[in-house]
Amino acid sequence: MMEEGKYIYCIMGTNEGRNFGPIGIGDRGDGVYTIGYQDLSAVISNSPMTKYVVSRENMTAHEKVIEEVMKDYSVLPVRFCTVATSAEEVRNLLRKRYTEFKNLLRDMDNKTELGVRALWKNMNAIFQEIVDENKKIKQLREKIAAKPSDQTYADKIALGEMVKASLEAKKEREGREILDGLKKSSVDFRTNKIYGDNMILNAAFLVDRSREKEFDNQVDELSTKYDGRIKFKYVGPVPPFNFVNIVVKWK
């Protein structure tokens, strides 16, 4: 039989005993509860001492527990698949990193993460804008059109590189404009990798809960401003994964 340990989801700034229900990772119905040290607690559930597969099911279970806790508390998310051998090892973690956790909890107090992605709606229109805005691209397209197809290989390669560079520059300009409009209502922000030709912004914002409505309104205003051109995907509030990720290395 596999040895049992304690799966850690997050850290919170209180030592009041809490039970969050049978929502633990692993689909066994394990109860999620707290183990405390002074005025800190780790949110944990019983778990086999195993390395969990990085799957949608497991990641969702991990995140849902943290989301449940953050309904009532500010939290420090702990990296997925952090399993202690015992309750005492959890308390030792809280004791050894007490000052670090207290400082981070102060930084995260009453704050939440909101995510915004911005995507162009009509790529044909965007590519046409690139041609219209760049004289060299327009001239090279006309040159290719006037040549037999078997003589245009090098020109087509050059054209593709020019269009790609112009597209990236356009993404940067428009993404930065949106970012500048949103970061004014946030405490901090992170830009993440963008995917595909049409995504121009993928960002996370750390927002004080007292300004969450203000941030919502700014997203609405941007949606109206860019209606027909840019689609916004707005997610949150979620745990501050982009700003805190507690990593534990057991000795």
Side-chain angles (χ1 to χ4, degrees), residues 100-166:
E100 174 194 352
F101 292 161
K102 286 290 290 183
N103 289 338
L104 285 170
L105 281 164
R106 181 196 62 219
D107 293 341
M108 294 297 114
D109 185 43
N110 204 40
K111 297 178 182 69
T112 190
E113 179 177 316
L114 301 170
V116 177
R117 292 182 179 182
L119 304 95
W120 282 317
K121 290 183 175 181
N122 186 341
M123 287 308 298
N124 288 334
I126 297 298
F127 283 121
Q128 186 59 53
E129 286 178 16
I130 288 172
V131 173
D132 294 341
E133 293 164 357
N134 192 310
K135 187 177 180 180
K136 289 183 178 180
I137 289 177
K138 192 171 186 178
Q139 289 174 341
L140 187 53
R141 282 188 71 187
E142 292 171 352
K143 179 182 176 182
I144 291 170
K147 282 184 175 182
S149 60
D150 60 351
Q151 297 177 23
T152 60
Y153 179 77
D155 287 336
K156 286 179 178 178
I157 295 295
L159 178 63
E161 291 174 349
M162 290 169 66
V163 170
K164 182 180 179 181
S166 295

Side-chain angles (χ1 to χ4, degrees), residues 23 58 84 96 108 110 122 163 170 174:
I23 57 174
N58 286 336
K96 290 176 181 178
M108 294 297 114
N110 204 40
N122 186 341
V163 170
K170 196 175 187 68
E174 296 196 21

Side-chain angles (χ1 to χ4, degrees), residues 187-248:
V187 177
D188 199 359
F189 68 92
R190 297 283 187 275
T191 54
N192 297 315
K193 185 176 180 179
I194 57 177
Y195 301 92
D197 287 340
N198 66 329
M199 185 181 290
I200 62 175
L201 181 69
N202 181 14
F205 299 86
L206 188 66
V207 178
D208 193 283
R209 291 183 186 275
S210 66
R211 301 186 70 183
E212 192 174 333
K213 183 60 178 176
E214 176 186 331
F215 192 91
D216 291 347
N217 290 338
Q218 286 194 328
V219 174
D220 288 341
E221 288 172 8
L222 286 168
S223 296
T224 300
K225 178 180 178 180
Y226 294 103
D227 185 39
R229 181 178 182 82
I230 296 173
K231 177 181 179 181
F232 288 89
K233 294 185 177 181
Y234 185 30
V235 179
V238 296
F241 293 115
N242 279 278
F243 302 93
V244 180
N245 184 25
I246 301 299
V247 178
V248 179

